[in-house]
Amino acid sequence: MGLLEELRSRLDDVCIQTDPDVVDSYSSDRAIFEEGGTAAILVMPRNTTEVVAAVEAANAADVPIVPRGAGTGLTGGSNAVDGCMMLSVHRMKEILEIDTVNRMCRVQPGVINSDLKAAVAKAGLFYPPDPASVDMSSIGGNVATNAGGLCCVKYGVTRDYVMGLEVVLASGEVIRTGRKTIKSSTGLDLTGVFVGSEGILGVITEVTLKLVGAPPPPATAVAYFDHLKPAGAAIVEIFQEGHEPSLMEIIDQACLRQIESVYSMGLDLDAACLLMMQTEGDNAGSQIAAIADICSKNGATFVYHVDDPHDGDMLIEARRKAWPAFEKMGKSLLPEDVAVPRDKLPELLAGITEIADRHDVMLPTLGHAGDGNMHPLLVFDGNDPEEVTRVKAAFHDIIALAISLGGTIAGEHGVGTLKRPFLEDEVEPTHLAVQRRVRDMFDPHGRFNPGKAL
Ligand SMILES: Cc1cc2nc3c(=O)[nH]c(=O)nc-3n(C[C@H](O)[C@H](O)[C@H](O)COP(=O)(O)OP(=O)(O)OC[C@H]3O[C@@H](n4cnc5c(N)ncnc54)[C@H](O)[C@@H]3O)c2cc1C
């Protein structure tokens, strides 16, 4: 039997979609250069039993499976491969449990991050991971990419909150990893293996997440610098001095100018960059004042800090406006996602400027300065082949620069197909071979997401 017959023998018709236009609309993520294939069928299960049925049908028909969350990925991870079954978990969006005593929750993978945040906030709790796609991306996708965000500098990344998972394996078996307890030293940490696995090891069908107490209101500082280097030096000194910012973001001059041209926020357009920082806790005000002093000492041309959280929110609004401001240009956007150890940030920033000049490309830079995770944003005319060639060369050089500084090719967006050609530049051969053996062990027939991540 073909895939459709296999699916129909196991699932309700409402779970199966064959209309090519609909299937197509679920067949790609937001990665710009990554061409996906053509999927055969879209399956939209509502629960774990239906995921098992879909996986068994794909096995019987010998068809590859591409798991999909909300399709906001930036690396081609949930792009279709030819003839595959797209398995979208977008209907699995129930919050199954919020446990205030044990400070955890259990959710289906299709729950949107901001919906979970809002639900746990009603119980006086906080789920920290906050990718900028917080209103669009799914918890399952966040787990599968180990998503980061703005608050990682204090709270960590998605990995730090995943206590356990339910996963449908390639065999159709269901395993539950981890547990509800805060402590456990029983057996191997398979939860950790699935976090960041980009759909190549199985379908995540349930996630148990750690929650924390609601965060105290932040104090906020902003600092303009007329060169990138002293901003980098200030960042290093802030950590050297033992401060613990809960947010530390940077946008450069090209971002300032584009944001100003679209939103008229009164930004300083002569500055080389704007550093935005927040602190939380009992001494948030004194900490932010000390951080502001460090910025001044390192040559900031203008520094301002406030204790009022509402005023603080307005100060960091420019950071949130950066991506939408560039989208308004109507050009192609290719965001980079490299990360380096924090103390290498000044060299990374200087190197990115040099790469932009060398390849004559528009390369505004913004990112999570506190994590050493930068998103240089290539802005270009996608219909101009000569410009596209220069953009791709600059993209390669940024990756090479990050690796030369002891960094990583993928800070938080994952590998997908976009970064796969560079994997060997970062991960040494024996380590990579072991990772591939782990993949083969979970999925001996290469059923899940072939050609992605590893
Ligand atoms: C405007 C914008 C801003 C962004 N900002 C950030 C940011 O600040 N930080 C950040 O980390 N990312 C960011 N991203 C990238 C993206 O939102 C994240 O990678 C997100 O975690 C993807 O979630 P998703 O639900 O859209 O997953 P998808 O794109 O659908 O899938 C991503 C990967 O996970 C796999 N997958 C999805 N669901 C499952 C599942 N249930 N089981 C197994 N595998 C699964 C897919 O196969 C694929 O490999 C941004 C994207 C956009 C468009």
Side-chain angles (χ1 to χ4, degrees), residues 29-30 66-79 87 89 109-110 112 130-134 136-150 197-200 202-205 319 323 327 368 375 411-414 416 449 452:
D29 68 6
R30 307 282 189 104
V66 176
R68 186 183 198 269
T72 69
L74 294 168
T75 64
S78 57
N79 279 355
L87 195 160
V89 298
I112 298 300
D130 61 344
S133 55
V134 62
M136 309 181 277
S137 61
S138 71
I139 293 295
N142 290 173
V143 172
T145 56
N146 190 21
L150 271 65
S197 63
E198 300 190 46
I200 65 168
V203 186
I204 297 163
T205 48
R319 167 65 177 90
W323 178 273
E327 277 185 327
H368 314 299
H375 297 307
E412 56 181 17
H413 296 166
N449 227 356
K452 317 282 179 65

Side-chain angles (χ1 to χ4, degrees), residues 51-111:
V51 174
V52 171
V55 169
E56 286 177 350
N59 277 335
D62 194 17
V63 163
I65 303 167
V66 176
R68 186 183 198 269
T72 69
L74 294 168
T75 64
S78 57
N79 279 355
V81 297
D82 281 335
C84 77
M85 176 181 83
M86 291 301 299
L87 195 160
S88 173
V89 298
H90 69 276
R91 283 177 165 173
M92 298 176 69
K93 53 182 181 201
E94 216 179 306
I95 296 173
L96 303 164
E97 182 186 5
I98 296 177
D99 178 341
T100 50
V101 175
N102 294 303
R103 296 207 165 180
M104 46 133 294
C105 62
R106 259 183 334 110
V107 303
Q108 287 190 308
V111 171

Side-chain angles (χ1 to χ4, degrees), residues 189-240:
D189 175 19
L190 290 191
T191 307
V193 174
F194 286 103
V195 177
S197 63
E198 300 190 46
I200 65 168
L201 301 182
V203 186
I204 297 163
T205 48
E206 192 184 298
V207 186
T208 303
L209 293 164
K210 182 172 89 174
L211 303 172
V212 296
T220 307
V222 288
Y224 283 106
F225 291 83
D226 57 11
H227 294 285
L228 288 171
K229 214 169 165 194
I235 292 164
V236 170
E237 192 176 330
I238 287 165
F239 288 101
Q240 248 163 8

